[in-house]
Amino acid sequence: MHTIWSSSPTKCEQMRHRARNAPGWDSQHTPAIQAKPRQAPSVSWAYRVEHPELGKVINALSRPEYDLLFVALFHPTLFDLHDQFAFDVLPGVHPLHGHPDLIGTITPSHRGTLAIARDLGVMSSHPKTFMPSAIDPDEGHWVARPLLGDFMLFLFDDQGPYCLHFDIKHEEGAHDKPGPEVVASRQGDRSKKNASAKLRIKAQYLAEIGIRVVYLHPGQVDLEVARNLRFLFAWMVRASTLKPDQQDQLIELFQRGIEDGTPPAMVISTCAARFGWSPEEGRRVLFQAIWTKRLRVDLFDAILIDQPLYPETRDVIGEYAHWFVR
């Protein structure tokens, strides 16, 4: 079967743009929690990642989320991502409901987390907030609060668009355990019971709309790959000032260097002397070409521009392909 991500980078970019800007589909999303003071958990690091192509800032609320986020962003068929999203308390529709590529297809709906919690017998574990009465602060009622998810990925394959949920924790086996915001002294039986119940509610919710949950932790990604992807993406924020034909020429020279063992720094310094192209722009073109896969190099090895770059022998997306299966 044809593999979408084996298509040319240009074709994948065109397909991403088409899927993301499909008429009649509203992809607007506001994160339930942002990586800002008084919002992000104070017990862990929080990160804001600006994504130029998606036109948004993505919030990662822990270092594991931050590291694994870049593997998701590197996937060539990712056309949108909802970060720190809220599960609907009441019945609702699939996130891709109304997408024109699914016209004629019945997208499933869900019952909402309240109904699911009731049927699972775990209503006491559903998040809630006490709303005091405006007349008497001692009186009031409980209001359900939404459960939250880490990253909802929007991708496409030969069958069309689909979604995945990346559920990320700091270590293997922690997905049904209380999070770091629950201090050790309070991680008793009740906290563990609530965490397990929430996992079951979210799993059932996503099962009802046919979205696969991918349970991840940092130990599942190669450390060098994680470092390289973080580094490369930082160069994607600003477009190169070189003209397209100049970039093509430079990329061709980098490709020759990969083949004959010439370090990128030597190519950059030669072009700076010959054409007057700034070294910074040379580095930008290099790193952007690697991120967009116009240059295929070994991302399981450190990227050092004063050393030869090795040709790709293991494709990162192929290595983690099982994460992205619908």
Side-chain angles (χ1 to χ4, degrees), residues 25-48:
W25 179 60
D26 183 8
S27 65
Q28 294 300 313
H29 164 70
T30 300
I33 301 178
Q34 298 187 41
K36 294 180 177 180
R38 295 186 296 276
Q39 286 197 41
S42 59
V43 295
S44 63
W45 292 96
Y47 306 84
R48 290 169 59 82

Side-chain angles (χ1 to χ4, degrees), residues 123-260:
M123 276 292 285
S124 62
S125 294
H126 195 291
K128 55 185 177 294
T129 298
F130 184 75
M131 298 292 291
S133 168
I135 300 174
D136 184 354
D138 294 329
E139 298 293 331
H141 60 280
W142 290 96
V143 176
R145 288 190 293 109
L147 291 160
L148 303 181
D150 296 329
F151 300 132
M152 182 71 77
L153 280 58
F154 294 75
L155 308 107
F156 57 83
D157 60 12
D158 291 336
Q159 301 176 54
Y162 65 101
C163 291
L164 293 174
H165 173 215
F166 273 17
D167 188 328
I168 301 168
K169 291 294 182 284
H170 64 286
E171 63 182 6
E172 185 177 7
H175 290 85
D176 62 346
K177 303 295 189 299
E181 70 277 5
V182 180
V183 296
S185 62
R186 293 173 52 202
Q187 288 193 1
D189 291 341
R190 182 172 180 79
S191 294
K192 294 176 182 177
K193 175 186 173 183
N194 288 343
S196 178
K198 291 174 184 177
L199 186 72
R200 292 172 60 199
I201 294 169
K202 291 192 283 188
Q204 178 59 35
Y205 177 110
L206 293 168
E208 291 183 2
I209 50 178
I211 294 178
R212 189 169 73 92
V213 185
V214 187
Y215 297 105
L216 298 174
H217 61 86
Q220 292 170 275
V221 65
D222 182 88
L223 290 177
E224 203 64 68
V225 167
R227 279 193 288 263
N228 283 334
L229 293 183
R230 289 197 308 268
F231 171 76
L232 292 170
F233 189 81
W235 287 86
M236 297 299 295
V237 175
R238 187 167 67 83
S240 174
T241 59
L242 295 182
K243 297 177 181 178
D245 61 321
Q246 294 173 329
Q247 295 183 47
D248 291 342
Q249 182 180 355
L250 190 49
I251 291 171
E252 183 179 346
L253 293 173
F254 285 136
Q255 181 59 49
R256 292 180 191 172
I258 293 171
E259 295 168 0
D260 63 23

